[in-house]
Amino acid sequence: MFSQTCQVRFSHCDPAGIVFFPQYFVMLNGVVEDWFTHALGIDYAQLIGQRLVGLPTVSLQCDFAAPSFMGDSITYQLQVERIGKRSITLNVECIGTDGPRLKLRQVLVTTSLSKHQSMDIPGDVLDALNRWQNETGATS
Amino acid sequence: MFSQTCQVRFSHCDPAGIVFFPQYFVMLNGVVEDWFTHALGIDYAQLIGQRLVGLPTVSLQCDFAAPSFMGDSITYQLQVERIGKRSITLNVECIGTDGPRLKLRQVLVTTSLSKHQSMDIPGDVLDALNRWQNETGATS
Amino acid sequence: MFSQTCQVRFSHCDPAGIVFFPQYFVMLNGVVEDWFTHALGIDYAQLIGQRLVGLPTVSLQCDFAAPSFMGDSITYQLQVERIGKRSITLNVECIGTDGPRLKLRQVLVTTSLSKHQSMDIPGDVLDALNRWQNETGATS
Amino acid sequence: MFSQTCQVRFSHCDPAGIVFFPQYFVMLNGVVEDWFTHALGIDYAQLIGQRLVGLPTVSLQCDFAAPSFMGDSITYQLQVERIGKRSITLNVECIGTDGPRLKLRQVLVTTSLSKHQSMDIPGDVLDALNRWQNETGATS
């Protein structure tokens, strides 16, 4: 499991004073970036920017349990559900100090940003994913 | 069906030159606002700002079919799947000039913004929803 | 003068219920896009995406006169103050139904997105800018 | 001086692969939040959310020296230029590992969020500002 705590910022919140739901996905993307760079050892910015491997989302299911307020600390806990040939399925829970905030399932696919077509997960990324799965004791 | 076309802006796009997926939900919120204000006849800004009725999302399922590029025109087509006592379930398709971009199901709940608790859909909103469903020939 | 009205959305507003100031600049960018595409006849998305000409901001001065609330209609009025060899200086006022909201001066430079260096304004863009200045009676 | 390092995220970047300029101001707001909460000892979320004291920006001048790319670490360095009766003037520099990125001057005013009018800086905030100015050796 990869775990990261985010601060709920003024900029994440709406006129109701709670996180505007798309902002949870903006934060999620930051968590995925850091998971790649720091846990998998695959530099996310380089993967996208230099290697031109995209990681667009093809499927997202999310249930929201409770609102998050400005100033809250919320923790994203990321697990890999499945590693496909061209896709990675993540299960993510986001938890506040007082209980769950949301639970989501996200399917990412690897694409060539020069051709805008799906492509196989690059070998080093696949190795890193499998190694991380083994180390964290999860089953894929 | 409520239909609205959005322009894909520079600000919606990521380093891959395509819409960053949370931005689809930001645009979706604008579509829901205009549906309320112009199709249902319920002023969305007033509902939230003066009447303190919130419409947070409690569930979201979204499948992305193809990327949208800067400069694209994309059309959101919104239908009501179900009107509950305290919730509204929407089915939305977003379509580009060359085919589908995404399909989503969103469940909104009505909440009291003073108490941050769910509340029944206000009478005038419920009437407007039922009237609109009848006029557009949909079944709830 | 190029004039465009924007709707203040839920997503533009902060926990105080007013436009979060960076969102004015996000809207501004949309206005500049439409000014290029519709008034100058230079397709903005193509300029950036295909021709790889960037238009980053190098200087920005902005004074905010009054807050904008969710649901407000605000109108951006854009004028060109100066056309340089590699830069365009804009004067923009944003006006609500009840008076001014903000006044800004923005300097954009043309850059090569393949080299990330400044470059001369492309000939067709310069011609379009000069033609538009003449037609709208402004002096540069 | 209050100093804070931010990670340039995928979500901050535009189709040119560099930070979209309004995103610098979104990050700036996070820096100001943390400066209040951690350096001044005034809980920012509570100030806005419970005490209903707003801190809108009334003036902003910003010069951008060089672009920031996805994956960059950039450091915001914040100093107070002037403490007024109802305003705080900040000087902020944002620096990358290879040199300056931007320099800005921002004037914030204290407002009552219940009346949407300017108000005097609350006593405890003023004390905290003066104390911090003295400790950091700056002159106001």
Side-chain angles (χ1 to χ4, degrees), chain A residues 6-18:
Chain A
C6 299
Q7 200 66 21
V8 174
R9 298 290 185 188
F10 186 76
S11 64
H12 296 134
C13 294
D14 64 21
I18 59 175

Side-chain angles (χ1 to χ4, degrees), chain B residues 35 78-83 88-90 129 132-133 138-139:
Chain B
W35 172 57
L78 179 156
Q79 285 181 294
V80 172
E81 182 186 306
R82 190 177 167 273
I83 302 168
I88 308 164
T89 304
L90 304 177
L129 283 165
W132 186 78
Q133 280 288 73
T139 57

Side-chain angles (χ1 to χ4, degrees), chain A residues 13-19 68-69, chain B residues 48 54-56 111 113 116, chain C residues 10 13-17 70:
Chain A
C13 294
D14 64 21
I18 59 175
V19 172
S68 298
F69 293 84
Chain B
I48 309 279
L55 281 169
T111 59
L113 292 180
H116 281 289
Chain C
F10 186 75
C13 294
D14 63 21
M70 179 175 36

Side-chain angles (χ1 to χ4, degrees), chain A residues 6-48:
Chain A
C6 299
Q7 200 66 21
V8 174
R9 298 290 185 188
F10 186 76
S11 64
H12 296 134
C13 294
D14 64 21
I18 59 175
V19 172
F20 180 46
F21 79 94
Q23 296 287 351
Y24 280 118
F25 305 129
V26 174
M27 286 187 254
L28 170 67
N29 212 76
V31 174
V32 171
E33 289 171 44
D34 285 353
W35 172 56
F36 261 76
T37 302
H38 302 305
L40 299 184
I42 304 289
D43 189 294
Y44 184 89
Q46 209 167 75
L47 186 70
I48 308 278

Side-chain angles (χ1 to χ4, degrees), chain A residues 57-60 62-64, chain B residues 57-64:
Chain A
T57 298
V58 290
S59 177
L60 185 73
C62 187
D63 290 296
F64 300 88
Chain B
T57 297
V58 290
S59 177
L60 184 73
Q61 287 135 37
C62 187
D63 290 296
F64 300 88

Side-chain angles (χ1 to χ4, degrees), chain C:
Chain C
M1 197 172 76
F2 180 75
S3 184
Q4 189 164 289
T5 299
C6 299
Q7 202 66 22
V8 174
R9 298 290 186 189
F10 186 75
S11 64
H12 297 133
C13 294
D14 63 21
I18 59 174
V19 172
F20 180 46
F21 79 93
Q23 295 287 351
Y24 280 117
F25 306 129
V26 174
M27 286 187 252
L28 170 68
N29 213 75
V31 173
V32 170
E33 288 171 44
D34 286 354
W35 172 58
F36 260 78
T37 302
H38 302 305
L40 298 184
I42 303 290
D43 189 293
Y44 184 91
Q46 209 166 74
L47 185 71
I48 308 278
Q50 272 81 61
R51 298 173 62 183
L52 299 179
V53 178
L55 281 169
T57 297
V58 290
S59 178
L60 184 73
Q61 288 135 37
C62 187
D63 290 296
F64 299 88
S68 298
F69 293 83
M70 179 175 36
D72 284 2
S73 285
I74 56 176
T75 300
Y76 282 79
Q77 299 180 330
L78 178 155
Q79 284 181 294
V80 173
E81 182 186 306
R82 190 176 166 273
I83 303 167
K85 211 171 167 250
R86 305 186 157 207
S87 70
I88 308 164
T89 304
L90 303 177
N91 278 318
V92 181
E93 283 191 70
C94 178
I95 295 168
T97 47
D98 58 345
R101 300 298 169 81
L102 64 85
K103 209 173 214 167
L104 68 85
R105 194 167 167 276
Q106 182 185 30
V107 183
L108 304 166
V109 287
T110 38
T111 59
S112 155
L113 292 180
S114 50
K115 301 183 201 161
H116 280 288
Q117 285 175 0
S118 74
M119 59 176 274
D120 287 358
I121 299 176
D124 61 330
V125 177
L126 190 62
D127 289 349
L129 284 166
N130 284 320
R131 199 169 44 239
W132 187 78
Q133 281 288 72
N134 289 337
E135 279 168 11
T136 56
T139 56
S140 70

